[in-house]
Amino acid sequence: MELRGCLRIPVQCQFSYSGTQSGEPIAGQGTVVNLSRDGWAIESQHAVHPGMNLSLRVHLPGHDKPVAVEQATVLWAKGGKFGLRSIRMEEKDRQRLVRFVVNNMNRSSFVQSRFVVRLRS
């Protein structure tokens, strides 16, 4: 069981990623469906696996320049969805992401997603 204590913001924004799998370069794209200051829920048709490290470029709504995440780790993958945790990004990009989350939160999303309990099977 995992207790998630970070606010999640529902979004629909495009992203691209790159990394390596078994020593071979991989790349893909998809849609971020929700995010927090350190986590991302993704929809993509490209296969990834838990434990993989990826670099991301995320196009936040209303922003001209994408947020760059130097390293994010895949936490889970199921079907066409996967979850990532941000590990390393430049401070300017982290600040832009935090501002986006703060500017887009509202009381109802905070109450509904402040503590979400997920059972892992």
Side-chain angles (χ1 to χ4, degrees), residues 26-42:
I26 62 166
Q29 53 190 328
T31 303
V32 177
V33 294
N34 73 50
L35 61 88
S36 70
R37 62 189 160 106
D38 13 300
W40 312 82
I42 305 293

Side-chain angles (χ1 to χ4, degrees), residues 49-93:
H49 305 286
M52 290 178 67
N53 289 313
L54 304 172
S55 296
L56 310 174
R57 297 285 179 263
V58 182
H59 300 274
L60 295 175
H63 293 254
D64 294 331
K65 185 178 178 186
V67 169
V69 180
E70 295 172 30
Q71 181 182 1
T73 300
V74 178
L75 299 177
W76 59 268
K78 186 173 185 178
K81 298 182 180 181
F82 59 94
L84 297 167
R85 172 163 294 150
S86 299
I87 303 298
R88 188 175 62 238
M89 60 194 304
E90 288 191 21
E91 187 58 31
K92 64 180 176 153
D93 286 312

Side-chain angles (χ1 to χ4, degrees), residues 1-6 8 85 113-120:
M1 180 175 6
E2 174 187 338
L3 183 62
R4 184 189 301 159
C6 291
R8 293 232 171 240
R85 172 163 294 150
S113 62
R114 177 67 173 94
F115 293 105
V116 176
V117 177
R118 288 193 341 207
L119 298 177
R120 293 188 180 194

